[in-house]
Amino acid sequence: MRSLENERKTTGWAARDPSGILSPYTYSLRNTGSEDVFIKVICCGICHTDIHQAKNDLGMSNYPMVPGHEVVGEVVEVGSGVNKFTAGDIVGVGYVVGCCKNCSPCNTDREQYCAKKIWTFNDVYTDGKPTQGGFSGSMVVDQKFVVKIPDGLAPEQAAPLLCAGVTVYSPLNHFGLKESGLRGAILGLGGVGHMGVKMAKAMGHHVTVISSTDKKKTEALDHLGADEYLVSSDTEAMQKAAESLDYIIDTVPAFHPLEPYLSLLRIDGKLILTGVITTPLQFLTPSVMLGRKSIAGTLVGSMKEQEEMLAFCKEKNLTSMVEVVKMDYINTAMERLEKNDVRYRFVVDVAGSKIDDQ
């Protein structure tokens, strides 16, 4: 396995300012090393976090920025120290591409919580080169943060699993919620939520979808296989469902009150936050104390969990519901995603798109 050349150029679609509008941008990839994998991008999912970052919603964006962190591609070349991958492998890259490799989280398969983790885009490598994401022709990634895509899993199906899928799998795994017979709920039926329904059902759970309206009821029950559908504005139905759930995975990436959902949990129930919300949330402590309930948050998943999750999806034949678009549709797709006008994940066909510099 030969070492990679030091520098390559690629073209991606980048945001230049908080408008979040993306346009073609040619840039140099970071210097490559013995542990690196050079990947030709096949496709990349679109996540709400891409919008948050492109529009500087978190107040920490650096431009120009190429988003995209649900990346599936083909290995073109590998460094001399790479032993996990060979040219021709179909692989995935999620939201983390670096860590210190020495701290407690890194040494216990929790590298996504490393204080020195490096995000796939809008961050900086140790050599000072800015990270750029998967809305691009190619990437260079440390082999630790690359995962093989199981045979038979189509790239456009695998892409959303690398963020949306593992974002649900990780809390189910960490909080001991994989055993069958549990009663759980998924709050919000979007890219993350629809995978939550599928995974929880595959684990043998009784699954309720909670939404603000009934417009997704048929989809949830008939197409995704949920057992029940609960409209949060229906006071009578919410009261009837009180203290009936072991857990709720809250996928909503916008401000919403927590107390109505805390009331649905049994003793020791868990409300697990997975959506990025930039407005402070509030609740009264008795709503937690009186049932010894927990409010927790989780961040994507570890590389070990990514591998486990992909194997689980392969075993259970779980697929994402996707709408595949070309790169020149990216701005329209992001506008539609903000309006929840997609069922349930946009995936950009990068390899099949013409990307020109301008």
Side-chain angles (χ1 to χ4, degrees):
M1 299 180 183
R2 63 191 179 92
S3 296
L4 304 173
E5 61 188 64
N6 280 340
E7 185 176 283
R8 301 171 188 259
K9 289 185 179 293
T10 192
T11 299
W13 278 54
R16 266 71 169 200
D17 55 54
S19 70
I21 296 173
L22 308 184
S23 59
Y25 167 63
T26 296
Y27 56 97
S28 297
L29 296 171
R30 70 178 179 88
N31 292 338
T32 57
S34 64
E35 298 292 318
D36 289 327
V37 179
F38 179 75
I39 299 168
K40 178 183 178 182
V41 177
I42 297 173
C43 61
C44 185
I46 307 177
C47 174
H48 267 98
T49 305
D50 297 317
I51 298 173
H52 286 310
Q53 296 282 21
K55 292 193 170 185
N56 198 28
D57 290 342
L58 305 179
M60 52 185 285
S61 296
N62 298 293
Y63 303 101
M65 174 203 304
V66 178
H69 60 274
E70 297 180 338
V71 189
V72 175
E74 179 182 352
V75 174
V76 177
E77 289 183 16
V78 299
S80 59
V82 173
N83 51 28
K84 295 173 60 178
F85 307 100
T86 59
D89 286 345
I90 304 301
V91 298
V93 179
Y95 202 16
V96 179
V97 294
C99 65
C100 77
K101 301 183 180 180
N102 293 313
C103 66
S104 176
C106 288
N107 290 330
T108 53
D109 294 317
R110 298 175 296 163
E111 65 279 344
Q112 75 271 35
Y113 298 109
C114 172
K116 296 181 180 180
K117 63 183 167 291
I118 300 173
W119 301 113
T120 301
F121 68 94
N122 194 37
D123 208 341
V124 180
Y125 289 110
T126 55
D127 65 2
K129 182 77 83 173
T131 65
Q132 302 289 10
F135 298 160
S136 60
S138 55
M139 299 176 70
V140 174
V141 185
D142 185 319
Q143 68 170 336
K144 176 178 176 59
F145 297 94
V146 180
V147 62
K148 284 187 179 180
I149 302 301
D151 292 340
L153 191 58
E156 66 273 15
Q157 290 294 332
L161 301 178
L162 300 168
C163 177
V166 78
T167 292
V168 172
Y169 181 88
S170 182
L172 290 170
N173 178 58
H174 174 73
F175 291 109
L177 301 172
K178 292 168 67 177
E179 62 182 271
S180 63
L182 296 177
R183 297 180 69 91
I186 306 298
L187 175 56
L189 196 58
V192 176
H194 94 286
M195 286 309 306
V197 175
K198 290 192 170 193
M199 286 189 181
K201 284 298 296 180
M203 291 174 182
H205 298 180
H206 181 282
V207 180
T208 298
V209 169
I210 308 174
S211 188
S212 58
T213 70
D214 63 1
K215 69 178 184 178
K216 295 182 179 180
K217 183 174 182 178
T218 299
E219 187 79 27
L221 299 177
D222 296 345
H223 298 282
L224 297 177
D227 298 287
E228 296 185 44
Y229 190 92
L230 184 58
V231 178
S232 58
S233 59
D234 186 336
T235 303
E236 183 178 347
M238 290 287 283
Q239 290 176 345
K240 185 178 179 180
E243 300 182 3
S244 65
L245 300 173
D246 296 299
Y247 68 87
I248 300 171
I249 295 181
D250 182 346
T251 73
V252 178
F255 175 81
H256 55 285
L258 298 185
E259 287 188 349
Y261 309 109
L262 289 167
S263 70
L264 302 177
L265 295 173
R266 294 171 171 169
I267 293 175
D268 293 327
K270 297 174 176 62
L271 174 62
I272 304 166
L273 306 175
T274 66
V276 176
I277 303 170
T278 57
T279 304
L281 301 180
Q282 295 180 331
F283 63 94
L284 297 176
T285 57
S287 62
V288 174
M289 295 166 60
L290 293 175
R292 200 167 62 188
K293 301 171 185 178
S294 302
I295 300 174
T298 64
L299 178 69
V300 290
S302 67
M303 295 310 300
K304 181 179 179 181
E305 286 174 325
Q306 281 201 25
E307 291 173 351
E308 291 175 358
M309 177 271 304
L310 287 170
F312 178 77
C313 290
K314 170 70 174 180
E315 175 191 355
K316 300 295 185 179
N317 194 30
L318 300 183
T319 57
S320 311
M321 295 180 68
V322 301
E323 181 177 337
V324 180
V325 300
K326 299 296 186 183
M327 188 64 82
D328 59 8
Y329 190 78
I330 187 74
N331 290 305
T332 301
M334 292 178 78
E335 289 176 4
R336 286 179 54 192
L337 178 57
E338 280 195 286
K339 300 174 183 177
N340 294 317
D341 180 24
V342 58
R343 294 194 175 179
Y344 281 97
R345 203 64 154 186
F346 283 114
V347 176
V348 182
D349 175 12
V350 177
S353 300
K354 186 175 185 294
I355 305 176
D356 294 319
D357 181 34
Q358 66 178 34

